[in-house]
Amino acid sequence: MQCRWVLHCIDADAEIEKRGGRMGPSGLHFCRVGDSTSPDESGAVLGVIGVEPHPLHPHRAEIGYWIRRDWWGRGVGTEAVKAMAWEVGVRFPEIARLEACAFVENEASCRVLTKAGFEFEGRQKAIVMKEGKLKDGLSFGLVMQEEKRVSDEGAG
């Protein structure tokens, strides 16, 4: 898949430490193509994206990401999510489904996910703890291998 952003492996532990010890999406960061040593004019990372396998269901994985605020609204998130979904599909064929959760108030993240092909699946109450408060999340899913899915449509 052609992408304007380069995905680079980074030290996930260092990224978590930078975020104050809180878990968050980590594992890959992305920068502008053609400038892999300096992600942007300031040399800073544009964002981080990661995929975490489900502990009980190996055919499922969760994708998470964050984008630097000064890069919001430029299509970086959508392109990174599309590229990561493609990469997961190619490198990990056993993963049939990617899942994501966005904060209810984060309309931009919801747009990123839908533009990347994810479908809205519902609202989960008190799913995420942020700044000491339980928050609702909106669930999204992307079936990677539709041909492997057994549909119950039409079942009586």
Side-chain angles (χ1 to χ4, degrees), residues 14-146:
E15 190 61 38
I16 291 168
E17 186 175 294
K18 270 195 327 199
R19 296 179 69 153
R22 296 186 315 265
M23 285 300 292
S26 58
L28 294 172
H29 72 260
F30 39 93
C31 64
R32 295 169 62 126
V33 167
D35 195 9
S36 60
T37 58
S38 178
D40 73 357
E41 302 78 35
S42 68
V45 172
L46 305 183
V48 174
I49 189 165
V51 174
E52 181 74 28
H54 192 283
L56 299 176
H57 304 286
H59 70 283
R60 293 166 48 191
E62 183 173 8
I63 190 168
Y65 53 90
W66 61 260
I67 311 298
R68 232 175 59 194
R69 186 178 297 268
D70 58 330
W71 280 85
W72 288 1
R74 299 188 196 189
V76 175
T78 301
E79 217 165 321
V81 170
K82 283 181 179 180
M84 180 62 93
W86 182 84
E87 188 74 19
V88 167
V90 169
R91 293 179 64 192
F92 305 99
E94 67 276 12
I95 296 178
R97 174 183 166 78
L98 281 177
E99 300 169 347
C101 186
F103 293 122
V104 171
E105 67 276 7
N106 193 342
E107 294 174 17
S109 191
C110 294
R111 280 193 306 277
V112 163
L113 292 166
T114 54
K115 285 181 182 180
F118 284 71
E119 292 182 34
F120 173 70
E121 296 181 334
R123 182 179 185 132
Q124 295 177 308
K125 295 185 182 277
I127 190 74
V128 181
M129 178 74 77
K130 183 172 182 184
E131 298 170 354
K133 295 180 182 170
L134 286 171
K135 299 186 75 124
D136 290 359
L138 301 177
S139 295
F140 292 82
L142 175 66
V143 176
M144 307 285 288
Q145 301 174 12
E146 191 67 36

